[in-house]
Amino acid sequence: AQKVTQAQTEISVVEKEDVTLDCVYETRDTTYYLFWYKQPPSGELVFLIRRNSFDEQNEISGRYSWNFQKSTSSFNFTITASQVVDSAVYFCALSGEDSSYKLIFGSGTRLLVRP
Amino acid sequence: DTGVSQDPRHKITKRGQNVTFRCDPISEHNRLYWYRQTLGQGPEFLTYFQNEAQLEKSRLLSDRFSAERPKGSFSTLEIQRTEQGDSAMYLCASSFQPGQGIYEQYFGPGTRLTVT
């Protein structure tokens, strides 16, 4: 079975702090994909990144960076110099052949960035 | 540039009534997905279409739920004889799947259903 665990229910930081959101996954697929989505207060899920299981290179996009480690089945997300606009719920998701390519989401981490 | 759209955005209905939601995907996307999200949880898969064919339905989708995607364009999700437990946000997503591999899904704003 496939499963995504986001153990941090809620994180609160002060603006400009760095913050890391944890994601641990379980799958029996050899080929799978990992995603992060942002859900701001408006409610619409916004796609942030897709990573396939064969590409363990870390990725950086502006203030965002992702650390993928197959050895620990983790795909963590770091926001550097957080801003108030980063306040949202962040979801990690998994997809692969075992799930017929649908997204399996974690329960989300609510990030509150205080001014 | 139009993303995924959903209508209505909010629906309040009385228990036992039928409701229908519509989703218009991004025009060139061949896959369309429906998810349900309850408060404090991540979205849960309900069903998906490849063009007009419904390829998978979750066990969450009881017999009271039906979805269609005529002509492989927009999709509708109908809930018959609504129950209070159906209250949730219903999300539609679409993606372009040219072949192998898995591509990101783009989500609409959702339809929030409240059953009283």
Side-chain angles (χ1 to χ4, degrees):
Chain A
Q2 301 202 327
K3 186 179 178 181
V4 175
T5 301
Q6 295 180 255
Q8 303 151 308
T9 305
E10 189 165 326
I11 300 175
S12 181
V13 299
V14 176
E15 204 170 19
K16 298 184 183 176
E17 283 185 20
D18 299 346
V19 58
T20 295
L21 309 181
D22 298 333
C23 172
V24 174
Y25 63 91
E26 296 174 30
T27 181
R28 290 174 296 188
D29 286 337
T30 52
T31 302
Y32 54 89
Y33 292 75
L34 295 161
F35 302 80
W36 276 93
Y37 282 84
K38 174 182 180 180
Q39 190 172 41
S42 60
E44 191 160 341
L45 281 159
V46 177
F47 166 74
L48 296 178
I49 189 171
R50 172 181 68 116
R51 170 67 75 226
N52 78 50
S53 53
F54 294 109
D55 183 1
E56 287 193 71
Q57 280 192 335
N58 292 330
E59 181 154 340
I60 298 175
S61 176
R63 297 184 298 107
Y64 295 171
S65 62
W66 290 270
N67 180 265
F68 176 29
Q69 293 196 342
K70 281 180 83 169
S71 60
T72 56
S73 298
S74 65
F75 186 44
N76 297 337
F77 174 29
T78 297
I79 302 174
T80 303
S82 59
Q83 299 176 1
V84 172
V85 293
D86 295 328
S87 296
V89 180
Y90 290 86
F91 291 97
C92 181
L94 167 69
S95 185
E97 288 183 1
D98 194 38
S99 63
S100 301
Y101 305 112
K102 59 184 175 286
L103 292 172
I104 308 296
F105 284 87
S107 54
T109 297
R110 180 177 299 278
L111 174 65
L112 175 63
V113 182
R114 309 187 310 275
Chain B
D1 178 29
T2 56
V4 179
S5 62
Q6 292 187 246
D7 184 68
R9 295 291 305 277
H10 303 273
K11 179 71 176 179
I12 300 174
T13 191
K14 292 185 177 179
R15 189 178 53 182
Q17 296 294 305
N18 299 344
V19 294
T20 300
F21 309 143
R22 176 180 171 125
C23 170
D24 287 89
I26 294 171
S27 58
E28 64 269 22
H29 285 186
N30 55 351
R31 281 205 176 176
L32 186 148
Y33 304 79
W34 285 98
Y35 292 83
R36 181 171 68 188
Q37 185 179 22
T38 53
L39 204 60
Q41 299 298 316
E44 295 177 295
F45 169 79
L46 293 178
T47 188
Y48 89 92
F49 294 82
Q50 171 95 5
N51 299 313
E52 66 274 9
Q54 188 174 19
L55 297 186
E56 185 173 341
K57 294 195 294 185
S58 162
R59 285 173 292 179
L60 293 175
L61 217 63
S62 75
D63 291 345
R64 297 184 296 105
F65 288 70
S66 62
E68 294 182 342
R69 192 184 182 196
K71 302 178 184 177
S73 56
F74 70 92
S75 175
T76 58
L77 177 68
E78 181 183 17
I79 309 174
Q80 295 182 327
R81 305 181 303 282
T82 52
E83 301 172 357
Q84 287 189 322
D86 297 331
S87 296
M89 176 77 87
Y90 289 84
L91 296 166
C92 177
S94 70
S95 69
F96 177 61
Q97 295 287 146
Q100 289 188 338
I102 298 171
Y103 293 81
E104 55 272 20
Q105 296 175 24
Y106 292 90
F107 284 80
T111 295
R112 183 168 294 285
L113 173 66
T114 303
V115 181
T116 61

